[in-house]
Amino acid sequence: MTDSFDGLDIESITRDLEGIGGALSPGDLATLVAGAAAAPAAGGEGWLDLIGAPVNAPLRGALVDLRARAAKAFAHSRVPLPERLVAVRRRMAEESLDALIVPHADEYQNEFIPLRAERLAWLTGFSGSAGTAVVLAERAAIFVDGRYTLQVRGEVDAGAFSFHHLIDEPPARWLETALPTGGRLGYDPWLHSPAERDRLREACKRAGAHLVALEANLIDAAWSDQPPTPLSPVVPHPESYSGRGGAEKREEIAEVLTKDGQDAVVLSAPDSIAWLFNIRGGDVAFTPLPLSYALLHGDGSAEIFVDPLKVSADLAAHLGDPVRLSPPSALAPALSALGRRHAKVRVDWTATPSWIVDRLEEAGAAIVRAADPCVLPKAIKNAVELEGSRAAHRRDGLAMVRFLHWLSQEAPKGTLSELAVAERLGRLRAVDPLLRGLSFGTISAAGPNAAFCHYHASPESDRRLVPGSLYLVDSGGQYLDGTTDITRTVAIGTPTPAMRRCFTLVLKGHLALGRARFPQGTTGHQLDALARQPLWAEGMDYDHGTGHGVGSFLGVHEGPARISKAANAVPLVPGMILSNEPGYYREGAFGIRIETLVAVRPVDPAPEAADRVFLEFETLTVVPLDRSLIDAALLDIHERAWVDAYHARVRETHAPLLDTPEDRPVLDWLIAATAPL
């Protein structure tokens, strides 16, 4: 980083900082500004707190302007897309590699990754959140799941990459026939778990090839204008929202380690670190993650490896003496120290970077393969977190009610576009003082665009909402007291009979799951068919899961439980929050999805004849369903009663808050939208 960045003089700004007590060197200031520019804009100006001194208005303006210029520069690579594959193949030849695997992943195995880690997008042009590419000297392939089979064909050059299904034909299986005998497949050990590495190693073995761990990422070497590592403040998350203190959580997890005869656990998932230490950050979009690693020892002491530039002044006091803050460069020596004393170290074989496991093994540590011990307790929300989620959903629901009323008035005019509608919804959520950003990029999809189940509007694809079509909006917010995720499908004007029939079939599946009662120990895999059965009966289905876990001001997609066709041995436990989101997608015509969030709870009172504990779902989302799309004749008496009761609850929740003259049109709309079927 030079002392002059995009037209602004770092040296001059640093001198101004020194005049008010700032202590950053020109190099540190340049790093901070660039890192702030590489972090999501939703973090606002909180990064200025990391300067360590009050910043006057002119200096604040100069720094904000500098960050904005840097962010604009990082948004688009100057390297033309066709030249990128050529540059990577040139690097492969220098390393004597016959193939290179490029996952959509960062060093922490996050779902949402920093700009710096968007290597798959840089190489291929594919903007989805899951996928992998494999590059060989003469051909290349890209693998995506069912959410992106249509999208990938619109974004990636079919002349450069062949298209494959990530689940039906995974990269490891494809490589068995694609690799030449004696060939060398390169991979970045920071971007693959040991489980993934083992699958690649087995594929190479079957092909008579060799797997090579690279010391440096070849995409990084070819990506000349790659953004830097993001930098945003790591801040305390108050116990008034978390419900439990960090010391209590560390003691609980340390007891698990001691009971299992383990000396320490490596935590490489930032959401586990955020939960365990009651901290949050802003290094990636949509999830308040502090990118870092941590070691927790059997005595409850811990060490967090985090960039010192991200540490706010009050963080150390919040963490307490048993928690030490160290720079990322101290991770390798700490792992080696565990190895020298032959410590038994717990690692999650499916989520920890294989580089960490390799370092521990080489140093002499005894590796214990076991799940991240924070994952399950993080998923089981306590009473404070559950009440926070209910409150967040009530406020989020009111924003959605205002939005749907507005949409009902404006959409039939045919002048609204997908991007404009999403922007309006974002503004309505933003009035909440507890909002800290969206929980994912809003899916605002009109007409046939909604057939892409993970469609994201762009200026090139932006479609108008027109009468006689369906509009699907999937969105959510990150609030200090909870994370929301809701999908509603609405008719613009008068829907066709086919639209109403398909919507009602999806609704029947949604109700079958939402009304289910099931014995303790049941998994989401065992319940998945309930949501699909009405569609299956008509020869229809959808190619995505029915439900995912949701965090508490953390990830909108959270393990370990899920509701899906895919087998999952984790039972549903009271306190877990999951989505209920069946759908149906007709290519070239429309897409339908109905999503609410639900919390697992015991049935109370228990059925009189119950001989074991039974569970059910509490519906958290309070937003009307589009009555014009419901064919009541397809619903049985119990389904109609559930819809009417739900709509009554929605009305009772929001009507008292719509008490001003300006809100009267919204209230009138709400009363009509929640009228009995």
Side-chain angles (χ1 to χ4, degrees), residues 70-395:
K72 185 176 181 180
F74 295 152
H76 303 285
S77 175
R78 295 186 298 272
V79 182
L81 191 59
E83 295 180 12
R84 301 173 193 177
L85 193 56
V86 174
V88 169
R89 283 179 168 142
R90 186 182 306 119
R91 299 285 180 174
M92 289 169 56
E94 292 171 358
E95 298 290 330
S96 300
L97 294 177
D98 298 280
L100 177 70
I101 188 163
V102 183
H104 183 272
D106 67 359
E107 298 88 336
Y108 308 92
Q109 304 296 305
N110 285 317
E111 175 185 10
F112 300 114
I113 61 178
L115 289 175
R116 176 179 180 80
E118 289 285 1
R119 299 175 178 94
L120 181 64
W122 180 84
L123 176 65
T124 68
F126 173 64
S127 63
S129 64
T132 297
V134 177
V135 180
L136 289 86
E138 301 296 333
R139 58 175 171 152
I142 186 167
F143 303 78
V144 300
D145 62 31
R147 297 170 296 172
Y148 298 114
T149 51
L150 297 178
Q151 178 179 327
V152 71
R153 296 179 183 276
E155 293 182 335
V156 178
D157 180 5
F161 292 86
S162 59
F163 304 126
H164 304 270
H165 196 287
L166 187 64
I167 308 303
D168 297 341
E169 188 185 10
R173 188 186 307 166
W174 184 84
L175 282 163
E176 291 178 14
T177 57
L179 286 171
T181 302
R184 287 162 47 89
L185 169 65
Y187 79 103
D188 184 339
W190 281 104
L191 305 183
H192 296 267
S193 69
E196 293 168 341
R197 177 203 61 194
D198 292 346
R199 285 192 289 270
L200 293 175
R201 185 173 288 162
E202 183 62 27
C204 288
K205 180 179 178 181
R206 293 179 180 176
H210 308 283
L211 185 65
V212 180
L214 301 174
E215 293 186 7
N217 190 288
L218 297 194
I219 300 294
D220 297 356
W223 190 353
S224 57
D225 51 0
Q226 183 182 30
T229 300
L231 292 173
S232 64
V234 180
V235 297
H237 186 54
E239 195 170 330
S240 58
Y241 295 125
S242 69
R244 298 177 63 197
E248 179 185 352
K249 294 178 183 179
R250 293 198 310 275
E251 181 179 348
E252 174 189 308
I253 302 302
E255 287 178 359
V256 172
L257 299 180
T258 301
K259 178 182 176 182
D260 293 343
Q262 299 155 8
D263 298 302
V265 60
V266 177
L267 299 176
S268 60
D271 59 332
S272 289
I273 295 169
W275 173 83
L276 180 64
F277 297 100
N278 283 345
I279 58 177
R280 297 296 188 267
D283 290 327
V284 301
F286 309 125
T287 312
L289 297 180
L291 295 186
S292 54
Y293 296 104
L295 289 175
L296 177 67
H297 301 275
D299 62 0
S301 65
E303 189 171 5
I304 303 175
F305 303 91
V306 60
D307 193 317
L309 287 176
K310 299 198 299 189
V311 175
S312 58
D314 56 347
L315 185 62
H318 166 76
L319 293 171
D321 291 338
V323 181
R324 184 171 59 181
L325 294 168
S326 299
S329 59
L331 174 62
L335 297 176
S336 296
L338 288 172
R340 283 194 298 272
R341 60 187 181 93
H342 304 294
K344 291 184 178 180
V345 183
R346 179 173 180 147
V347 296
D348 191 322
W349 204 250
T350 64
T352 306
S354 61
W355 186 95
I356 289 177
V357 174
D358 293 342
R359 181 83 179 206
L360 285 167
E361 289 180 332
E362 291 168 3
I367 302 297
V368 180
R369 303 185 190 186
D372 179 335
C374 299
V375 168
L376 184 58
K378 173 167 58 70
I380 302 173
K381 278 63 180 180
N382 58 51
V384 171
E385 291 172 317
L386 286 171
E387 188 50 46
S389 183
R390 295 184 189 105
H393 277 88
R394 289 193 293 268
R395 300 193 311 276

Side-chain angles (χ1 to χ4, degrees), residues 519-596:
Q520 185 172 301
T522 300
T523 69
H525 170 62
Q526 293 171 304
L527 298 179
D528 180 75
L530 294 176
R532 298 180 190 269
Q533 184 57 44
L535 289 165
W536 284 353
E538 301 291 330
M540 305 174 183
D541 200 2
Y542 50 94
D543 194 11
H544 59 72
T546 301
H548 55 81
V550 178
S552 180
F553 188 41
L554 275 175
V556 74
H557 297 130
E558 176 182 85
R562 63 178 181 269
I563 303 171
S564 171
K565 288 181 182 179
N568 181 7
V570 178
L572 302 180
V573 178
M576 287 181 172
I577 296 176
L578 301 104
S579 66
N580 172 6
E581 52 178 311
Y584 175 67
Y585 310 89
R586 183 170 291 179
E587 185 174 350
F590 55 77
I592 295 166
R593 187 161 62 252
I594 304 171
E595 178 184 18
T596 60

Side-chain angles (χ1 to χ4, degrees), residues 7-21:
L8 290 181
D9 184 6
I10 291 290
E11 287 278 10
S12 174
I13 294 175
T14 304
R15 284 194 297 272
D16 289 342
L17 286 175
E18 290 171 348
I20 59 170

Side-chain angles (χ1 to χ4, degrees), residues 471-473 486-490 594-596 621 623-625 646:
Y471 171 69
L472 183 155
V473 58
I486 172 176
T487 307
R488 288 294 181 262
T489 304
V490 298
I594 304 171
E595 178 184 18
T596 60
T621 305
V623 177
L625 303 161
Y646 176 69

